[in-house]
């Protein structure tokens, strides 16, 4: 059921004295794009008549097929609370359509909806996501550029005065609540300068919209505190990186399809097949859930990030953990995802992997309740525990040979994604890093 009608939007814009509307969408690499229109153009926008040049957006279309239309999703109407002074600014998240009225296959949001339809054909009604994004706060210099200086020395769940980022984080939470977010918790994370804010789960499309909005709000408010917020996965060597654990569940109506009070660990067969599918396709979907060169600096032993393809109901070292709550909150926590991922693409590949497990009734291996970090390679092999890819290049090779995950992206996104990421890898590969000079300059 839609939350708002066109009339509601006009009324709210009027009542709140909104002067500008940002029409937002996300490109293939996960960057938010927006076209700002004055209020006089609202009617045209709500009639799906706003056009933009698709060829100017990374990985979208060629010059000769460049006209694209923005179809606003009315339920995403939000007024940015920090824009009050010269007339308020509101935003609407849009789907992208071709001139002939068909959804554009390079639109990550529309692509996720396509996979959600496949889910519905299997009898489920909802795919829920509760994300746990982590980020770092660094000080800005006089020129407002980010430095490597942290603004606190806090650790996990620390309180002020160590946690100077606390005021900033509190402001972020207040802004988010004003925008309708339900914040479940916010705390200092393990590394100095690192924070986490958890918001309530929602259906996958809404949760992905929320993640995109969340990043924008965190960066905007941090700036007001003289800080730079970064979602890069591993900004500092030697301390934890930033993940974005994804708590996933499938529902049929109001019934959690992962919960079965009579099952082992109170998990249903559906949950076990879903887990099996996620484990099977992990080597390939990692290219999407961990899409930067830097992502693989986080997926190393010793920093609470997973490096191995396994699951556990207790332990935090594997790729998948099953948090203790049962009943409606029974869920699968995928711990490898990092916040540099395009959330819409990440959800499309995770859902597709899980559905593949359900469709083919794949069997999950036994859960691993030992700390995998301390197991030797031989012990891991004996238990059938594979490594996650160690580099972006490896992950891209795995992606290219997994038809199921390729089909979760569709050809257009797959081709543009791989092309952009191979260039990224190649640029990195040919750089000479300071570490190499430190090691070799005097040695040779
Ligand atoms: N920061 C850790 C990671 O890279 C996760 C810490 C936690 O368990 O919340 O995934
Ligand atoms: Mg955390």
């Amino acid at each position: 059921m839609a939350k708002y009608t066109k009339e509601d939007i006009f009324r709210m814009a009027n009542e709140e004295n909104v002067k500008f509307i940002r029409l937002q969408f996300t490109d293939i690499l996960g960057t938010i794009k927006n076209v700002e229109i004055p209020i006089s153009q609202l009617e045209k926008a709500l009639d799906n008549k706003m056009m933009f040049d698709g060829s100017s957006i990374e990985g979208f279309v060629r010059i000769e097929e460049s006209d694209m239309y923005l179809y606003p999703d009315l339920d995403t109407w939000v007024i940015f609370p920090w824009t009050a002074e010269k007339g308020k600014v509101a935003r609407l998240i849009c789907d992208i359509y071709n001139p002939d009225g068909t959804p554009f296959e390079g639109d990550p949001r529309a692509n996720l909806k396509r996979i959600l339809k496949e889910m519905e054909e299997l009898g489920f009604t909802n795919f829920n996501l509760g994300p746990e994004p982590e980020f770092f706060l660094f000080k800005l210099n006089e020129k407002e550029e980010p430095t490597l200086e942290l603004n606190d020395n806090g650790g996990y769940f620390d309180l002020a005065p160590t946690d100077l980022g606390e005021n900033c984080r509190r402001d972020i939470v207040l802004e988010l609540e004003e925008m309708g977010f339900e914040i479940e918790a916010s705390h200092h994370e393990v590394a100095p300068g690192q924070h986490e804010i958890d918001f309530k789960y929602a259906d996958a499309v809404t949760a992905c919209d929320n993640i995109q909005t969340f990043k924008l709000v965190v960066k905007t408010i941090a700036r007001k505190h003289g800080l730079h917020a970064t979602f890069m996965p591993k900004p500092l060597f030697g301390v934890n990186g930033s993940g974005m654990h994804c708590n996933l569940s499938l529902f049929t109506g109001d019934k959690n399809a992962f919960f079965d009070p009579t099952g082992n660990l109170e998990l249903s067969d559906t949950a076990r097949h879903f887990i099996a599918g996620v484990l099977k396709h992990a080597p390939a979907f990692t290219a999407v859930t961990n899409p930067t060169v830097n992502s693989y600096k986080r997926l190393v032993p010793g920093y609470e990030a997973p490096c191995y393809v396994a699951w556990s109901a207790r332990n935090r070292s594997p790729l998948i953990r099953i948090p203790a709550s049962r009943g409606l909150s029974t869920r699968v926590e995928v711990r490898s995802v990092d916040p540099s991922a395009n959330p819409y693409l990440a959800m499309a590949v995770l859902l597709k992997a899980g559905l593949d497990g359900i469709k083919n009734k794949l069997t999950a291996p036994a859960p691993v309740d030992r700390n995998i970090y301390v197991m030797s390679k031989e012990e891991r092999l004996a238990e059938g525990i594979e490594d996650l890819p160690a580099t972006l290049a490896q992950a891209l090779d795995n992606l290219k040979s997994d038809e199921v995950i390729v089909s979760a992206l569709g050809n257009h996104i797959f081709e543009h994604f791989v092309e952009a990421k191979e260039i990224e890898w190649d640029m990195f590969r040919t750089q000479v890093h300071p570490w190499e000079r430190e090691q070799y300059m005097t040695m040779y």
Side-chain angles (χ1 to χ4, degrees):
M1 267 295 280
K3 195 161 74 175
Y4 296 135
T5 62
K6 267 192 212 179
E7 288 64 40
D8 291 331
I9 302 286
F10 284 123
R11 182 178 42 75
M12 291 186 291
N14 224 331
E15 279 172 8
E16 295 280 344
N17 193 24
V18 170
K19 289 281 192 267
F20 293 95
I21 295 106
R22 283 193 195 163
L23 302 175
Q24 291 183 343
F25 57 95
T26 296
D27 73 6
I28 290 174
L29 300 183
T31 312
I32 305 183
K33 301 283 168 183
N34 76 97
V35 184
E36 191 166 278
I37 57 167
I39 191 77
S40 60
Q41 301 299 304
L42 181 60
E43 184 152 10
K44 187 174 166 194
L46 296 185
D47 286 339
N48 301 333
K49 294 210 171 102
M50 289 306 298
M51 221 170 65
F52 75 101
D53 176 8
S55 67
S56 56
I57 307 285
E58 182 71 51
F60 262 36
V61 283
R62 291 188 303 268
I63 303 287
E64 64 269 26
E65 53 189 32
S66 64
D67 285 348
M68 292 282 145
Y69 285 84
L70 294 170
Y71 285 27
D73 179 339
L74 304 191
D75 288 352
T76 64
W77 171 266
V78 163
I79 297 170
F80 291 133
W82 62 85
T83 57
E85 296 127 39
K86 288 187 185 152
K88 292 183 187 167
V89 180
R91 75 90 204 269
L92 285 164
I93 295 177
C94 303
D95 289 323
I96 302 166
Y97 277 72
N98 297 309
D100 67 3
T102 53
F104 171 49
E105 56 164 356
D107 174 10
R109 195 173 189 264
N111 182 65
L112 174 55
K113 290 184 179 173
R114 180 174 67 84
I115 310 301
L116 287 166
K117 284 231 172 67
E118 291 180 19
M119 169 197 81
E120 285 166 18
E121 281 157 23
L122 289 175
F124 304 104
T125 51
N126 272 81
F127 178 47
N128 287 331
L129 160 64
E132 300 174 13
E134 298 174 332
F135 58 93
F136 278 80
L137 293 173
F138 288 99
K139 285 187 184 162
L140 292 169
N141 65 16
E142 326 67 68
K143 290 196 219 137
E144 308 240 318
E145 295 154 345
T147 65
L148 280 180
E149 213 186 316
L150 297 163
N151 77 330
D152 71 63
N153 272 314
Y156 198 51
F157 277 83
D158 272 353
L159 284 175
T162 1
D163 186 359
L164 297 175
E166 198 181 9
N167 285 341
C168 174
R169 203 176 61 225
R170 214 173 257 155
D171 265 4
I172 293 170
V173 170
L174 290 174
E175 295 286 337
L176 288 168
E177 283 183 332
E178 203 169 323
M179 292 170 75
F181 273 73
E182 194 170 321
I183 304 299
E184 298 207 313
S186 90
H187 59 85
H188 202 291
E189 254 300 342
V190 172
Q194 192 185 27
H195 301 267
E196 175 175 319
I197 299 177
D198 302 330
F199 41 94
K200 195 178 156 75
Y201 75 88
D203 70 273
V205 173
T206 306
C208 290
D209 291 346
N210 287 346
I211 290 168
Q212 294 300 73
T213 307
F214 173 79
K215 288 183 187 167
L216 188 77
V217 173
V218 170
K219 283 179 180 283
T220 307
I221 304 304
R223 216 147 241 285
K224 290 189 192 296
H225 286 258
L227 298 167
H228 172 72
T230 182
F231 291 92
M232 108 181 246
K234 184 90 173 183
L236 300 171
F237 170 73
V239 295
N240 273 14
S242 293
M244 186 173 72
H245 302 160
C246 290
N247 292 277
L248 309 175
S249 57
L250 281 174
F251 273 69
T252 302
D254 53 12
K255 197 174 155 289
N256 185 331
F258 285 174
F259 177 56
D260 177 357
T262 64
N264 192 3
L265 292 170
E266 296 181 80
L267 291 177
S268 67
D269 288 344
T270 302
R272 286 169 185 277
H273 296 320
F274 187 94
I275 292 168
V278 171
L279 295 178
K280 174 177 176 190
H281 296 289
F285 72 59
T286 301
V288 178
T289 52
N290 305 76
T292 58
V293 165
N294 185 249
S295 297
Y296 298 84
K297 307 282 168 86
R298 166 177 167 258
L299 300 178
V300 296
Y303 298 101
E304 297 186 278
C307 332
Y308 311 110
V309 183
W311 73 288
S312 173
R314 289 198 211 123
N315 207 296
R316 286 166 189 268
S317 57
L319 175 67
I320 293 177
R321 183 176 78 101
I322 311 296
S325 19
R326 289 293 183 271
L328 282 181
S329 10
T330 309
R331 58 195 193 267
V332 166
E333 176 188 316
V334 180
R335 295 177 57 84
S336 60
V337 188
D338 75 51
S340 70
N342 177 329
Y344 303 99
L345 297 185
M347 284 311 111
V349 294
L350 285 170
L351 176 58
K352 184 82 183 189
L355 293 180
D356 185 54
I358 292 172
K359 245 195 259 176
N360 295 303
K361 299 205 178 332
L362 301 180
T363 315
V368 181
D369 291 330
R370 297 171 57 191
N371 180 355
I372 312 180
Y373 293 144
V374 302
M375 288 165 75
S376 69
K377 178 105 188 156
E378 289 68 39
E379 285 176 297
R380 295 202 305 271
L381 278 179
E383 299 231 9
I385 303 172
E386 258 187 271
D387 291 358
L388 278 173
T391 63
L392 179 60
Q394 238 182 51
L396 287 168
D397 282 344
N398 297 342
L399 170 63
K400 286 189 269 186
S401 52
D402 187 328
E403 276 171 35
V404 172
I405 301 305
V406 171
S407 74
L409 298 175
N411 279 338
H412 182 107
I413 294 179
F414 166 69
E415 277 162 24
H416 286 86
F417 180 82
V418 169
E419 190 189 330
K421 290 295 162 184
E422 288 190 332
I423 294 173
E424 190 172 324
W425 173 255
D426 229 53
M427 275 163 42
F428 169 73
R429 192 177 65 83
T430 53
Q431 286 288 328
V432 178
H433 303 273
W435 182 90
E436 293 169 80
R437 274 194 289 268
E438 255 166 54
Q439 291 290 310
Y440 307 131
M441 194 74 134
T442 52
M443 191 186 287
Y444 298 102

